[in-house]
Amino acid sequence: MAWLFLILESSSHVRLVGGPHRCEGRVEVQRNGEWGTVCDDGWDMNDVAVVCRELGCGAAIWTPSGVIYKPLADEDQKVLIQDVNCTGVEENLIQCEQDEDVYSCSHNEDAGAKCEFPETVQLVGGPGRCKGRVEVKHKGQWGTVCKAGWNLSAAKVVCRQLGCGRAILTQRCCSKSTQGQGPIWLSEVSCSGKEADLQDCPSGLWGKNNCTHDEDTWVECEDPFQLRLVGGESKCSGRLEVLHKGEWGTVCDDGWGEKEEQVVCKQLGCGEPVFVSAKDRRRFGFGNGRIWLDDVYCSGQEQSLEQCRHRFWGHHNCNHREDVAVDCLEHNPDLLGALPADPE
C-alpha cells in the first residue's frame, strides 16, 4: 500500500489531556471540529518538541505512552493520525508529515507528551518557595498582583501551579521590606479554583489598574505533598506514609480501597495495585508517630493522593494496626518501552 502523507487543515488544533497540567498528557488533535488521538507509531522527541512549542510550554521532556493518562480515550473516539514525522523545528504539529490513513492502531498506542511547565508565577519574600508575595511574569518581566478581587480560589491555583500543598492563607501584603517593586501586572483576578494556570483565570487588563504596592497579594501554601511506601522490597510496596509539616506519618485504612491504591501507585510511577491481605500487611511493620490521614476517598482519576477527599490532617480515630499498606506491580506492562531511559 502506498503511503499518503497529508497536512491537516489550518483549523486543526492540539491539546494534552489527562495530565497534571496543560503541558503534559495524551496528545489529541482536532480535525473538522472533532477531537481524536495520535498513534504513537514513529512518535519521538522531535514530535513532542513541536507539540510543546505549539502549546506555549517549555522544553520537551519525555514521550510517555498516552495510556498512563486517565480517563482513557473513549472507545468511540477516533485515532486521527499516525506516523507523525516532525523535524523538531516546526511551529505547529500540522506542519509535520503525518499519515491520515490510520489502520491497525488502537487506543493502546495513543501518543503522549510531557513538556516543562513554563514558570509564570512565583512566591517571593517568604520562608521557602511556597510562601510569599505573588508575582507573575509578563513580557519577560516579573510584577505583582493586586489584592483587589483576589480570594482563596485564586490562591489554590497558585499553590497547585507551583507544585506546593494546599492553600492555607491569602492576605493583603506587605511591609515595606517585603513589598514588590516594578509593575503591578494583574488585578481583579477571578478564579474558580480548578484552573491549571493563574493566567487561565479572568482578570483585568495586564498593567491597567489603580493599585499600589501596599495592596500586593501574599499567599501561603502547605509544603509540597509527598508520599512513600516503606518496609517493602522496593519503592512500589510497603506501608504508606505521607509528609506533612516536615514530619512523615501514616494513613488509616478506614474507607481505604482499590481506587485509593490506584492513585498511590500512579503517583509513584508504579504499575497496578495488588491486593494485600491483613497477614501480608504485617510484614511491612507498623508505623509510629503521627497518623496524618483518615477516611480518604478517591475517584481513581486523581493524579495525587492530595487531590482526594480526607479528614483534616491529624484528625482520626485509629491506631497503627490500621496503617494502610500498598503493593503495586513494579512496572505497568502496557508502559514498557514508554519510560525514559535511566541516565548513565
Side-chain angles (χ1 to χ4, degrees):
M1 178 183 295
W3 293 103
L4 177 62
F5 289 100
L6 298 174
I7 297 297
L8 291 178
E9 292 85 344
S10 60
S11 60
S12 299
H13 297 88
V14 64
R15 66 185 181 186
L16 299 178
V17 178
H21 50 72
R22 66 178 182 85
C23 293
E24 178 184 352
R26 181 176 63 255
V27 182
E28 294 190 356
V29 295
Q30 188 182 45
R31 183 181 175 197
N32 297 326
E34 178 184 19
W35 285 99
T37 62
V38 176
C39 183
D40 65 4
D41 290 351
W43 187 258
D44 61 20
M45 286 293 286
N46 285 338
D47 308 318
V48 174
V50 174
V51 169
C52 296
R53 184 177 302 118
E54 182 171 352
L55 291 174
C57 300
I61 297 176
W62 183 26
T63 58
S65 168
V67 302
I68 69 174
Y69 301 108
K70 304 295 191 292
L72 298 173
D74 191 90
E75 292 183 0
D76 296 331
Q77 188 178 23
K78 294 179 181 178
V79 181
L80 290 180
I81 57 175
Q82 68 179 24
D83 292 305
V84 177
N85 184 23
C86 301
T87 65
V89 300
E90 297 87 352
E91 292 296 322
N92 300 284
L93 198 65
I94 62 172
Q95 297 171 346
C96 303
E97 288 185 342
Q98 52 207 252
D99 190 357
E100 292 179 315
D101 185 16
V102 178
Y103 66 95
S104 301
C105 200
S106 69
H107 285 306
N108 288 331
E109 300 173 80
D110 285 344
K114 183 175 182 178
C115 320
E116 289 183 352
F117 196 66
E119 185 183 15
T120 56
V121 65
Q122 63 183 3
L123 297 177
V124 179
R129 69 177 187 86
C130 293
K131 297 178 176 66
R133 181 180 68 251
V134 181
E135 292 192 352
V136 291
K137 195 173 188 179
H138 182 59
K139 294 182 177 180
Q141 184 177 8
W142 289 100
T144 61
V145 177
C146 181
K147 186 66 173 66
W150 187 271
N151 58 24
L152 190 61
S153 294
K156 290 178 180 178
V157 175
V158 169
C159 294
R160 185 185 310 118
Q161 187 173 344
L162 290 173
C164 299
R166 298 186 178 191
I168 54 177
L169 175 68
T170 183
Q171 64 185 15
R172 178 173 169 173
C173 183
C174 293
S175 66
K176 291 293 183 182
S177 63
T178 54
Q179 281 182 3
Q181 297 178 352
I184 300 173
W185 280 132
L186 288 178
S187 66
E188 301 296 338
V189 177
S190 177
C191 302
S192 68
K194 297 180 180 179
E195 295 85 355
D197 190 314
L198 188 65
Q199 296 187 26
D200 295 334
C201 302
S203 68
L205 295 176
W206 286 85
K208 304 293 184 182
N209 56 74
N210 295 317
C211 300
T212 69
H213 283 299
D214 289 333
E215 301 169 88
D216 288 344
T217 300
W218 182 277
V219 164
E220 296 188 3
C221 320
E222 291 180 341
D223 289 332
F225 184 86
Q226 297 181 49
L227 57 77
R228 66 184 182 185
L229 298 177
V230 298
E233 297 178 354
S234 74
K235 71 163 190 171
C236 293
S237 67
R239 182 180 67 253
L240 177 61
E241 293 188 351
V242 294
L243 184 65
H244 182 60
K245 293 183 177 179
E247 182 179 358
W248 289 98
T250 60
V251 178
C252 181
D253 64 4
D254 290 348
W256 189 266
E258 183 178 358
K259 291 182 178 178
E260 290 71 31
E261 291 180 345
Q262 287 174 351
V263 174
V264 169
C265 293
K266 183 195 312 179
Q267 186 171 351
L268 290 172
C270 303
E272 291 295 312
V274 179
F275 174 74
V276 182
S277 68
K279 180 179 179 181
D280 289 338
R281 186 165 59 181
R282 289 204 276 290
R283 80 178 189 270
F284 300 129
F286 297 121
N288 53 59
R290 301 299 296 262
I291 299 174
W292 278 131
L293 293 179
D294 189 18
D295 293 321
V296 179
Y297 173 80
C298 306
S299 69
Q301 297 180 8
E302 296 86 354
Q303 297 295 319
S304 167
L305 195 68
E306 182 189 23
Q307 298 168 355
C308 303
R309 297 199 324 242
H310 56 77
R311 296 175 71 171
F312 289 118
W313 287 91
H315 290 250
H316 63 87
N317 55 355
C318 307
N319 60 58
H320 282 298
R321 291 187 175 275
E322 300 171 84
D323 288 343
V324 165
V326 178
D327 195 359
C328 319
L329 296 174
E330 284 291 315
H331 296 292
N332 187 331
D334 290 335
L335 305 185
L336 292 179
L339 296 173
D342 292 331
E344 294 182 358

